[in-house]
mmCIF file of all heavy atoms in Angstrom:
data_model
loop_
_atom_site.group_PDB
_atom_site.id
_atom_site.type_symbol
_atom_site.label_atom_id
_atom_site.label_comp_id
_atom_site.label_asym_id
_atom_site.label_seq_id
_atom_site.Cartn_x
_atom_site.Cartn_y
_atom_site.Cartn_z
ATOM 1 N N GLU A 279 -211.570 -38.422 80.262
ATOM 2 C CA GLU A 279 -211.445 -38.632 78.693
ATOM 3 C C GLU A 279 -212.842 -38.694 78.253
ATOM 4 O O GLU A 279 -212.984 -38.058 77.030
ATOM 5 C CB GLU A 279 -210.547 -39.887 78.420
ATOM 6 C CG GLU A 279 -209.224 -39.880 78.791
ATOM 7 C CD GLU A 279 -208.429 -41.234 78.347
ATOM 8 O OE1 GLU A 279 -209.135 -42.136 77.911
ATOM 9 O OE2 GLU A 279 -207.263 -41.318 78.695
ATOM 10 N N GLU A 280 -213.716 -39.282 78.819
ATOM 11 C CA GLU A 280 -215.008 -39.523 78.303
ATOM 12 C C GLU A 280 -215.758 -38.186 78.191
ATOM 13 O O GLU A 280 -216.464 -37.935 77.389
ATOM 14 C CB GLU A 280 -215.873 -40.592 79.040
ATOM 15 C CG GLU A 280 -215.338 -41.939 78.945
ATOM 16 C CD GLU A 280 -215.166 -42.384 77.491
ATOM 17 O OE1 GLU A 280 -216.061 -42.217 76.667
ATOM 18 O OE2 GLU A 280 -214.067 -42.879 77.137
ATOM 19 N N ILE A 281 -215.689 -37.497 79.211
ATOM 20 C CA ILE A 281 -216.417 -36.074 79.256
ATOM 21 C C ILE A 281 -215.779 -35.138 78.265
ATOM 22 O O ILE A 281 -216.456 -34.373 77.564
ATOM 23 C CB ILE A 281 -216.390 -35.443 80.717
ATOM 24 C CG1 ILE A 281 -217.252 -36.287 81.500
ATOM 25 C CG2 ILE A 281 -216.767 -34.077 80.599
ATOM 26 C CD1 ILE A 281 -217.395 -35.844 83.031
ATOM 27 N N SER A 282 -214.456 -35.278 78.106
ATOM 28 C CA SER A 282 -213.779 -34.297 77.096
ATOM 29 C C SER A 282 -214.266 -34.999 75.631
ATOM 30 O O SER A 282 -214.524 -34.136 74.822
ATOM 31 C CB SER A 282 -212.233 -34.639 77.086
ATOM 32 O OG SER A 282 -211.789 -34.076 78.251
ATOM 33 N N TYR A 283 -214.402 -36.183 75.393
ATOM 34 C CA TYR A 283 -214.879 -36.786 74.213
ATOM 35 C C TYR A 283 -216.333 -36.287 73.910
ATOM 36 O O TYR A 283 -216.708 -35.946 72.812
ATOM 37 C CB TYR A 283 -214.846 -38.280 74.184
ATOM 38 C CG TYR A 283 -215.417 -38.957 73.042
ATOM 39 C CD1 TYR A 283 -214.625 -39.154 71.776
ATOM 40 C CD2 TYR A 283 -216.788 -39.511 72.882
ATOM 41 C CE1 TYR A 283 -215.141 -39.730 70.707
ATOM 42 C CE2 TYR A 283 -217.252 -40.029 71.886
ATOM 43 C CZ TYR A 283 -216.467 -40.222 70.709
ATOM 44 O OH TYR A 283 -216.972 -40.703 69.648
ATOM 45 N N LEU A 284 -217.085 -36.314 75.019
ATOM 46 C CA LEU A 284 -218.541 -35.944 74.930
ATOM 47 C C LEU A 284 -218.722 -34.477 74.569
ATOM 48 O O LEU A 284 -219.515 -34.077 73.673
ATOM 49 C CB LEU A 284 -219.217 -36.111 76.281
ATOM 50 C CG LEU A 284 -220.679 -35.713 76.411
ATOM 51 C CD1 LEU A 284 -221.624 -36.480 75.417
ATOM 52 C CD2 LEU A 284 -221.222 -35.842 77.857
ATOM 53 N N SER A 285 -217.873 -33.548 75.118
ATOM 54 C CA SER A 285 -217.889 -32.330 74.821
ATOM 55 C C SER A 285 -217.483 -31.983 73.334
ATOM 56 O O SER A 285 -218.180 -31.168 72.765
ATOM 57 C CB SER A 285 -216.879 -31.588 75.686
ATOM 58 O OG SER A 285 -217.155 -31.643 77.146
ATOM 59 N N ASN A 286 -216.563 -32.596 72.853
ATOM 60 C CA ASN A 286 -216.150 -32.442 71.463
ATOM 61 C C ASN A 286 -217.296 -33.030 70.517
ATOM 62 O O ASN A 286 -217.477 -32.441 69.444
ATOM 63 C CB ASN A 286 -214.918 -33.231 71.155
ATOM 64 C CG ASN A 286 -213.654 -32.531 71.759
ATOM 65 O OD1 ASN A 286 -213.567 -31.334 71.809
ATOM 66 N ND2 ASN A 286 -212.664 -33.306 72.311
ATOM 67 N N VAL A 287 -217.886 -34.168 70.804
ATOM 68 C CA VAL A 287 -218.960 -34.689 69.955
ATOM 69 C C VAL A 287 -220.085 -33.710 69.874
ATOM 70 O O VAL A 287 -220.646 -33.514 68.879
ATOM 71 C CB VAL A 287 -219.355 -35.997 70.513
ATOM 72 C CG1 VAL A 287 -220.739 -36.570 69.912
ATOM 73 C CG2 VAL A 287 -218.302 -37.195 70.357
ATOM 74 N N LEU A 288 -220.421 -33.147 70.937
ATOM 75 C CA LEU A 288 -221.616 -32.289 71.114
ATOM 76 C C LEU A 288 -221.407 -30.888 70.503
ATOM 77 O O LEU A 288 -222.321 -30.092 70.461
ATOM 78 C CB LEU A 288 -222.259 -32.260 72.520
ATOM 79 C CG LEU A 288 -222.772 -33.475 72.991
ATOM 80 C CD1 LEU A 288 -223.153 -33.264 74.585
ATOM 81 C CD2 LEU A 288 -224.038 -34.036 72.262
ATOM 82 N N LEU A 289 -220.029 -30.532 70.362
ATOM 83 C CA LEU A 289 -219.652 -29.162 70.160
ATOM 84 C C LEU A 289 -220.387 -28.544 68.912
ATOM 85 O O LEU A 289 -220.952 -27.546 68.916
ATOM 86 C CB LEU A 289 -218.123 -29.095 69.894
ATOM 87 C CG LEU A 289 -217.528 -27.753 69.618
ATOM 88 C CD1 LEU A 289 -217.763 -26.791 70.843
ATOM 89 C CD2 LEU A 289 -216.040 -27.843 69.336
ATOM 90 N N THR A 290 -220.240 -29.309 67.690
ATOM 91 C CA THR A 290 -220.893 -28.768 66.447
ATOM 92 C C THR A 290 -222.424 -28.620 66.625
ATOM 93 O O THR A 290 -222.968 -27.475 66.220
ATOM 94 C CB THR A 290 -220.654 -29.692 65.342
ATOM 95 O OG1 THR A 290 -221.110 -30.997 65.651
ATOM 96 C CG2 THR A 290 -219.169 -29.708 64.994
#
Side-chain angles (χ1 to χ4, degrees):
E279 291 179 0
E280 294 307 313
I281 288 181
S282 297
Y283 178 83
L284 176 65
S285 300
N286 286 325
V287 166
L288 296 175
L289 182 62
T290 54

